[in-house]
Amino acid sequence: MLHLRLIVPADRTEDVVGTIEKTVGTTHLVVLPGAARDPAGDVVMCDVAREAGDALLGELRELGLDEAGSIAVENIDLSLSRRADRAEEEAPGEGADAVLWEHLVDATHEESTLSVTYLAFLVLATMIAACGVVLDNAILIVGAMAVGPEFGPLAGLCTALVRRAPRLAARSAIALLVGFAAAMALTTGFSIAMDAVGLFGKDMLGRARPNTDFIWKPDMFSFVVAVLAGIAGTLSLTSAKSGALVGVAISVTTVPAAANAAVALGYGKIDQMWGSTEQLLLNLAGIVVAGTLTLMAQKALWGRRG
């Protein structure tokens, strides 16, 4: 269930309440006349089944409530109510399958913004991965994958392509390009500094590395795994099952590939640099293609069911 808290101009309250009442899957309607001060108006609250939430939000926006008032949405973790149970039963489809497009756009907008925190996580993840590839340590590679924040802008790009949102697409693309460029440049400097103090060595990168050789030797399995991860990551976002994102993060070698390319560049190993770059681009492309197709399929299936 979702909880909606609305601030409604007094002259639109009747229309808003009528819209809520006619929406299948709503319950617990509360109207507080004159309770809002900024902006001034009435406060309207209700609960709605997740599968009916996107349609209701769309109608509220058509009434101009997002501009003249306010729409706030919260997830309800527990609701002990027969009315709530009845509302979920009456709403079409299953809540786990429903896509809240407004929530998805808002979430990916935040995650795809090129911020200092985003850059810091991506740089740190790439440096950890650099230690992993030089030491041939799979544990460090997995740790770097979990730290990397790159799925946010990838999901934002997928959402932008489906929703035809050029600004979100541009923001996501900039976050990816600038983020990886900065991370790889700083990691190259990091590897040179580590070499200067004797912790890294050119021979360490050139020796046999059975645990991490796959990072710079891309094949079709790399693309297949990226496609599967893109589908899983997109489903985890649309179904609000964020725990699955951890599994997605450690299944594709985007950050390790960027790290291996950066270290290889520092030591002049061009073959490893190009191989790692190809691995990186292959994974990014697989995730974007799979994520976009997944969202398109969800949109088509849910629209048909509705």
Side-chain angles (χ1 to χ4, degrees):
M1 294 290 289
L2 302 173
H3 177 69
L4 271 62
R5 186 186 73 250
L6 315 173
I7 296 179
V8 187
D11 59 340
R12 304 190 190 184
T13 300
E14 185 176 346
D15 291 336
V16 169
V17 171
T19 298
I20 294 173
E21 289 179 332
K22 74 176 183 181
T23 300
V24 177
T26 58
T27 187
H28 303 154
L29 177 61
V30 177
V31 180
L32 303 175
R37 292 292 180 267
D38 184 21
D42 303 332
V43 173
V44 178
M45 295 180 287
C46 71
D47 295 341
V48 58
R50 181 181 175 85
E51 50 269 43
D54 190 65
L56 178 57
L57 290 175
E59 292 192 51
L60 293 175
R61 293 197 65 178
E62 287 181 2
L63 292 174
L65 194 57
D66 54 325
E67 297 180 358
S70 169
I71 303 174
V73 183
E74 300 174 340
N75 280 307
I76 300 176
D77 295 326
L78 177 64
S79 179
L80 302 178
S81 166
R82 290 186 178 180
R83 288 181 176 272
D85 294 339
R86 191 181 307 118
E88 289 186 322
E89 292 173 359
E90 293 175 350
E94 295 293 332
D97 298 332
V99 180
L100 292 176
W101 290 102
E102 297 297 339
H103 176 267
L104 183 62
V105 171
D106 183 70
T108 52
H109 176 280
E110 181 179 352
E111 294 295 328
S112 62
T113 301
L114 184 64
S115 63
V116 174
T117 301
Y118 167 81
L119 284 174
F121 272 115
L122 189 55
V123 169
L124 290 172
T126 308
M127 289 181 176
I128 294 172
C131 296
V133 297
V134 170
L135 298 175
D136 193 35
N137 188 313
I139 295 177
L140 291 177
I141 295 298
V142 172
M145 290 175 173
V147 172
E150 73 279 7
F151 191 79
L154 287 170
L157 189 56
C158 297
T159 304
L161 292 174
V162 175
R163 298 284 286 179
R164 298 180 182 179
R167 290 186 179 180
L168 179 58
R171 182 182 295 106
S172 302
I174 290 172
L176 285 172
L177 294 174
V178 176
F180 272 109
M184 293 171 71
L186 291 173
T187 300
T188 299
F190 171 74
S191 65
I192 293 173
M194 293 289 279
D195 180 82
V197 298
L199 294 177
F200 281 9
K202 187 174 183 178
D203 59 319
M204 299 173 71
L205 193 67
R207 69 187 179 186
R209 293 182 287 145
N211 292 321
T212 57
D213 270 349
F214 70 95
I215 292 174
W216 62 280
K217 295 179 179 179
D219 53 25
M220 281 307 299
F221 276 108
S222 301
F223 186 76
V224 170
V225 171
V227 167
L228 296 176
I231 296 172
T234 303
L235 290 175
S236 70
L237 286 177
T238 57
S239 63
K241 296 185 181 298
S242 58
L245 281 178
V246 177
V248 172
I250 62 177
S251 62
V252 287
T253 55
T254 49
V255 166
N260 200 89
V263 177
L265 177 62
Y267 285 123
K269 289 188 171 294
I270 304 302
D271 59 334
Q272 284 203 33
M273 184 196 73
W274 284 118
S276 300
T277 302
E278 184 180 350
Q279 177 80 274
L280 173 62
L281 295 177
L282 199 62
N283 278 274
L284 293 177
I287 292 175
V288 171
V289 169
T292 302
L293 292 177
T294 300
L295 286 176
M296 291 175 65
Q298 287 182 291
K299 184 178 182 180
L301 291 173
W302 190 257
R304 184 177 300 175
R305 179 177 296 178

